[in-house]
Structures are given as structure tokens and as C-alpha cells.
Amino acid sequence: MHQQKRQPELVEGNLPVFVFPTELIFYADDQSTHKQVLTLYNPYEFALKFKGAVKPQCCVDIVIRHRDVRSCHYGVIDKFRLQVSEQSQRKALGRKEVVATLLPSAKEQQKEEEEKRLKEHLTESLFFEQSFQPGLITMAILRT
């Protein structure tokens, strides 16, 4: 008896969608960040549809532009939903949201992230202090 190989039925909305990066950050003071690329990957054996065909085992690049970098938009979070379906079908097989944020300055953001990492490191570390001679020498040991 010969068994026919069947492709498993794809359940609507449960197919993992692979996109990189998973977050976009635009900086008002850095024009090179105003246009970024999202890459949608199709690791499957069948074609996907997202605003056109995505062949099996291939990827497509999607250009995202921030067109209004005024200060009133700083901190605003936008979401891009990438919804894919099988090439010949209409029902959505999977979706992924990519968060996009406009920040005023790359330098300011880097400084904030550095300060945050330092604070996290210090709070996660155990801090021991030992005095050798009263008031002369103090030794501090950080253990992570």
C-alpha cells in the first residue's frame, strides 16, 4: 500500500513570520536613519504572499521611510504589521508586528542606554567594603 505524502494543513494565523530587524529606531538628527530596510524571510517550502510573491527559501527587502521627523513626533511608537498568506490563498497564515520609534538624537539615546547599563550592572553586583586601617584605606570589591 502506497501512502501519499500530505502537506500539513496550515492553520490561519499560526505560521511564524521571520523578519529582521524586529524593531526600527529613527533619529531626527541622523538623516541616514530616516530610511531603513526590513527583510522578510520565507524559510518554507511553499511561496508566501506579502504585497507580492516571496518564493520558497527566499527573502524580500521592504524599505521603510520616516517622512515627518518633527519634534511633535518624538517618542511616538508606530507599528508595522506584516501579514503573510500562502501564495494561492487569501487567509492570513501569520503576522508579525515591527515597532518603529522616532527619537530626537542618536547621541542622546546612546548616553541614556549607557547610563542604564551602568546602573543595572551596579544594582546586580554585590558590593563589599572592608576597611584596613580606620580612615586610611578602603577596599571595594564588585562581584557579578
Side-chain angles (χ1 to χ4, degrees):
M1 192 181 339
H2 183 328
Q3 285 188 331
Q4 188 175 357
K5 185 178 178 183
R6 284 186 0 194
Q7 179 176 349
E9 188 171 325
L10 298 169
V11 179
E12 186 171 356
N14 289 340
L15 188 75
V17 176
F18 299 94
V19 63
F20 183 82
T22 57
E23 178 183 22
L24 298 173
I25 298 177
F26 300 95
Y27 297 105
D29 69 344
D30 184 355
Q31 194 171 6
S32 69
T33 68
H34 296 181
K35 181 172 96 172
Q36 297 186 37
V37 176
L38 284 176
T39 303
L40 174 64
Y41 297 91
N42 179 4
Y44 303 107
E45 298 293 328
F46 53 90
L48 291 177
K49 181 171 60 177
F50 173 77
K51 308 232 182 237
V54 184
K55 295 178 183 176
Q57 312 284 306
C58 291
C59 63
V60 293
D61 288 338
I62 304 157
V63 176
I64 307 292
R65 283 193 175 99
H66 201 300
R67 299 178 70 163
D68 193 354
V69 293
R70 290 180 293 155
S71 61
C72 62
H73 298 290
Y74 292 171
V76 173
I77 297 173
D78 291 305
K79 293 180 183 176
F80 295 95
R81 178 175 289 158
L82 290 93
Q83 191 165 295
V84 298
S85 59
E86 195 172 0
Q87 181 62 31
S88 60
Q89 303 294 318
R90 293 190 78 142
K91 68 178 180 179
L93 293 178
R95 61 185 55 85
K96 180 83 165 194
E97 287 188 352
V98 175
V99 174
T101 309
L102 174 66
L103 298 175
S105 170
K107 292 174 187 168
E108 187 177 307
Q109 181 67 18
Q110 288 171 348
K111 183 180 175 184
E112 286 176 15
E113 287 175 5
E114 196 173 298
E115 288 173 359
K116 182 180 174 185
R117 277 194 302 269
L118 182 59
K119 285 179 186 177
E120 286 174 356
H121 178 72
L122 289 175
T123 56
E124 290 173 0
S125 299
L126 298 175
F127 187 81
F128 296 97
E129 192 173 285
Q130 179 182 3
S131 295
F132 290 101
Q133 292 180 6
L136 290 179
I137 300 173
T138 301
M139 180 175 76
I141 302 170
L142 287 175
R143 295 203 179 145
T144 56

